[in-house]
């Protein structure tokens, strides 16, 4: 039997195990996806091996630890320096980042994007930043405070709220957790509303509710999406890797979608 797990802290509320198990069962595979609450990120590799896992997804706050734990890191994960998918192959731990390509798949209906503003400067912002940059899109980053912005300084124009003046971006992405457990906007309304009114598309990484950001998008009358498809596609791409690319994305997505 193959064994996979979600490793993070917390892991209790994640729907990833449900998504993966629906697909593993639907495909009739002798495999199980479980969850593991990790306390210490430096023990990630030790735990992975001890649990005899064949693969794992890694979530908050251990994606950077996962990057360091892998024997080899593939693709865009080398740029984000964060790994959300680990696959064991020939005794080696291979690390991938499927958040970035998962985001791109989830916005495939948004066409002709040339410029984007990312609100927030954390781990998810990084994945989305490199995903958009790889598409040749001009990206700027806005955050409420300076510290996390320093990681982007050499790569893009960055702003804290006080430095920002609204201008036209084709796409605005909220990667902050504002609105996740409160009714906060990710930036002051007097800066956000004029920016949204000039934009073509908006995206919120939060997936389970109509956030104040998405309500503002509705008010600005632009096309927008929440993060559900991003979550789905990062999972589809991870399972594709776990199963050695033997299954089509459409087939995996058919089963995984049923978890929502
Ligand atoms: P991080 O902790 O790495 O970064 C959080 C960012 O949000 C920081 O820039 C922080 O600013 C900002 N922030 C937090 N609260 C507020 C607020 N009230 N107002 C303005 N800015 C705020 O988090 P992650 O990048 O790991 O996760 C961010 C979100 O992405 C979470 O909601 C998570 O659930 C979601 N997510 C969704 C995924 C999907 O597939 N749909 C995948 C992964 C994550 P500062 O630097 O000033 O503290």
């Amino acid at each position: 039997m193959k064994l996979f797990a979600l490793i993070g802290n917390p892991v209790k509320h994640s729907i990833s195990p449900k998504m993966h198990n629906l697909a593993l069962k639907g495909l009739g595979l002798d495999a199980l996806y479980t969850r593991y609450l990790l306390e210490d990120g430096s023990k990630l590799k030790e735990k992975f091996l001890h649990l005899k896992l064949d693969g794992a997804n890694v979530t908050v706050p251990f994606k950077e630890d996962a990057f360091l734990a892998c024997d080899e890191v593939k693709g865009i994960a080398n740029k984000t320096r964060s790994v959300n998918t680990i696959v064991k192959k020939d005794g080696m731990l291979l690390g991938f980042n499927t958040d970035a390509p998962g985001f791109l798949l989830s916005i495939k209906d948004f066409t002709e994007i040339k410029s984007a503003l990312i609100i927030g400067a954390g781990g998810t912002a990084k994945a989305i930043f490199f995903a958009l940059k790889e598409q040749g899109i001009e990206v700027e980053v806005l955050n409420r405070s300076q510290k996390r912005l320093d990681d982007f300084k050499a790569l893009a124009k960055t702003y804290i709220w006080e430095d920002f003046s609204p201008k036209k971006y084709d796409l605005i992405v909220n990667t902050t957790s504002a609105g996740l457990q409160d009714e906060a906007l990710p930036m002051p309304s007097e800066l956000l509303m004029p920016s949204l009114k000039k934009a073509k598309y908006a995206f919120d990484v939060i997936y389970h509710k109509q956030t104040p950001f998405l309500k503002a998008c509705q008010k600005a009358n632009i096309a927008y999406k929440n993060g559900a498809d991003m979550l789905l596609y990062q999972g589809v791409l991870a399972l594709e890797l776990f199963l050695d690319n033997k299954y089509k994305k459409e087939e995996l997505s058919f089963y995984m979608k049923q978890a929502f």
Side-chain angles (χ1 to χ4, degrees), residues 7-9 38 40-45 57-73 76-86 95-97 99 121-127 130 147-152:
I7 299 175
N9 192 347
L38 185 68
D40 177 355
S42 69
K43 299 263 160 54
L44 196 143
K45 186 171 185 175
N57 286 124
V58 180
T59 187
V60 180
F62 300 126
K63 292 184 191 181
E64 281 175 26
D65 294 292
F67 172 82
L68 297 173
C70 287
D71 298 305
E72 199 180 315
V73 173
I76 202 163
N78 284 300
K79 288 189 176 166
T80 62
R81 298 184 64 80
S82 68
V83 158
N84 78 324
T85 302
I86 303 176
F96 302 83
N97 184 306
D99 288 327
T124 311
K126 255 183 219 149
F130 287 109
K147 193 167 171 282
R148 282 187 170 99
L149 271 184
D150 289 345
D151 292 345
F152 293 89

Side-chain angles (χ1 to χ4, degrees), residues 60 63 99 119-125 143-149 161 175-180 182 184-187 203-207 227-228 230-232 234:
V60 180
K63 292 184 191 181
D99 288 327
I119 313 169
T124 311
N143 198 39
R144 65 177 173 185
S145 63
Q146 185 59 47
K147 193 167 171 282
R148 282 187 170 99
L149 271 184
W161 294 350
T175 71
T176 76
S177 35
L180 185 65
D182 52 35
L185 282 170
M187 60 197 268
F203 188 95
D204 197 333
V205 294
I206 296 171
Y207 51 84
M230 179 178 170
L231 183 69
L232 171 71
Q234 64 75 30

Side-chain angles (χ1 to χ4, degrees), residues 5 20 38 47 70 104 121 185 192 206 227 254:
H20 285 267
L38 185 68
K47 292 289 174 192
C70 287
L104 288 180
L185 282 170
L192 179 63
I206 296 171
F254 169 80

Side-chain angles (χ1 to χ4, degrees), residues 37 127 147 155 170 218-219 230 232 246 251:
L37 180 74
K147 193 167 171 282
L155 306 164
D170 294 329
Q218 198 172 17
K219 213 164 139 191
M230 179 178 170
L232 171 71
K246 285 190 185 124
E251 194 175 4

Side-chain angles (χ1 to χ4, degrees), residues 192-238:
L192 179 63
M193 283 319 291
S195 308
L196 287 177
K197 280 180 184 155
K198 291 186 208 310
K200 273 161 69 176
Y201 306 109
F203 188 95
D204 197 333
V205 294
I206 296 171
Y207 51 84
H208 65 287
K209 67 182 265 203
Q210 183 78 348
T211 57
F213 175 77
L214 291 181
K215 287 180 191 157
C217 298
Q218 198 172 17
K219 213 164 139 191
N221 205 17
I222 57 167
Y224 65 87
K225 278 191 89 164
N226 70 20
D229 276 355
M230 179 178 170
L231 183 69
L232 171 71
Y233 287 122
Q234 64 75 30
V236 167
L237 294 169

